[in-house]
Amino acid sequence: MAKNILIVSSSLRAGSNSELISKEVERGAISAGNNVEFLSLKDKKIDFCIGCLKCQKQGKCILKDDMAQLIEKVNNADTLVFSTPIYYYEMSGALKTFLDRCNPLYIRDYHFREVYLITSSAENSETVYQRAKSGVEGFVECFPNAEFKGVFSGGGLTNPKEIKTHDEILERAFAFGTKI
Ligand SMILES: Cc1cc2nc3c(=O)[nH]c(=O)nc-3n(C[C@H](O)[C@H](O)[C@H](O)COP(=O)(O)O)c2cc1C
């Protein structure tokens, strides 16, 4: 059955490798018959969570920024795909801020059931993305109706658009997208 997939791309730089990988995952997922919305955080205003917990009474955040609309996309998708460059062996600050701001969903009847992670890094290893994976797994653990389903990692990518010389990663990304 076709899924409604939301891809959240958190790299803020032009020529982002993780964004280009995520676009291939999107192409794969569309080719498999799914509906995909691609959301880049590049032009979005998303402030830090201030931890007031008012959202746990009201189901919405008191901060007035783009997250008011974006959180509804997270709530309504069947499948979430978070994409991040690896920064200091962790997810980007932009993605962490986005996840923190999803806290209003904690008390809501959120729709999403599956969560994936895409990473891009300079180092090409199985260990480089483990802390980012663990962070997203921690997010999923707080949403018991959802399950963490897997990671796609592209390594050996330092400069903007470097992914364009790595066809094998892009092919793997497309195949990953077809199986979401
Ligand atoms: C602040 C910062 C920290 C980084 N830390 C790591 C790291 O710990 N390990 C690594 O392999 N690459 C690290 N990198 C490199 C990026 O992960 C890599 O260039 C990645 O492909 C960038 O993805 P993007 O093009 O989607 O932004 C770091 C880059 C920056 C800017």
Side-chain angles (χ1 to χ4, degrees):
M1 205 176 74
K3 294 177 191 170
N4 293 317
I5 299 172
L6 177 67
I7 300 180
V8 180
S9 175
S10 72
S11 175
L12 305 182
R13 78 168 170 176
S16 157
N17 294 301
S18 55
E19 182 170 305
L20 291 166
I21 291 172
S22 305
K23 286 275 176 194
E24 273 313 286
V25 171
E26 177 187 32
R27 274 199 335 113
I30 290 171
S31 81
N34 299 295
N35 307 310
V36 185
E37 181 167 2
F38 195 97
L39 168 64
S40 167
L41 301 187
K42 258 177 202 153
D43 52 351
K44 301 293 183 290
K45 179 172 164 24
I46 304 174
D47 293 324
F48 294 127
C49 172
I50 60 168
C52 67
L53 292 180
K54 296 231 167 66
C55 62
Q56 297 308 294
K57 291 195 181 109
Q58 304 167 356
K60 62 179 185 167
C61 185
I62 60 161
L63 301 177
K64 304 285 177 239
D65 60 17
D66 291 338
M67 204 60 199
Q69 269 123 46
L70 302 183
I71 200 166
E72 299 307 324
K73 296 179 188 292
V74 177
N75 184 69
N76 296 336
D78 301 315
T79 301
L80 302 174
V81 182
F82 297 118
S83 164
T84 183
I86 294 296
Y87 287 172
Y88 300 110
Y89 296 96
E90 251 289 4
M91 72 180 79
S92 66
L95 180 55
K96 183 65 169 74
T97 299
F98 185 88
L99 295 182
D100 291 348
R101 291 291 306 283
C102 287
N103 203 44
L105 299 179
Y106 187 70
I107 58 158
R108 286 177 54 180
D109 187 19
Y110 57 90
H111 192 86
F112 60 90
R113 295 292 179 265
E114 299 180 328
V115 180
Y116 293 83
L117 174 66
I118 296 169
T119 69
S120 161
S121 55
E123 190 178 311
N124 188 12
S125 73
E126 291 288 310
T127 51
V128 68
Y129 58 82
Q130 293 302 330
R131 291 184 179 98
K133 174 174 175 259
S134 172
V136 173
E137 283 173 331
F139 169 82
V140 176
E141 213 168 304
C142 297
F143 293 95
N145 295 337
E147 189 185 350
F148 185 76
K149 298 286 283 182
V151 187
F152 180 91
S153 78
L157 304 168
T158 299
N159 298 316
K161 294 191 187 165
E162 197 168 342
I163 185 67
K164 294 202 169 182
T165 58
H166 289 265
D167 285 349
E168 78 290 356
I169 299 179
L170 293 173
E171 282 162 23
R172 273 200 298 119
F174 182 89
F176 185 86
T178 62
K179 296 197 186 87
I180 282 177

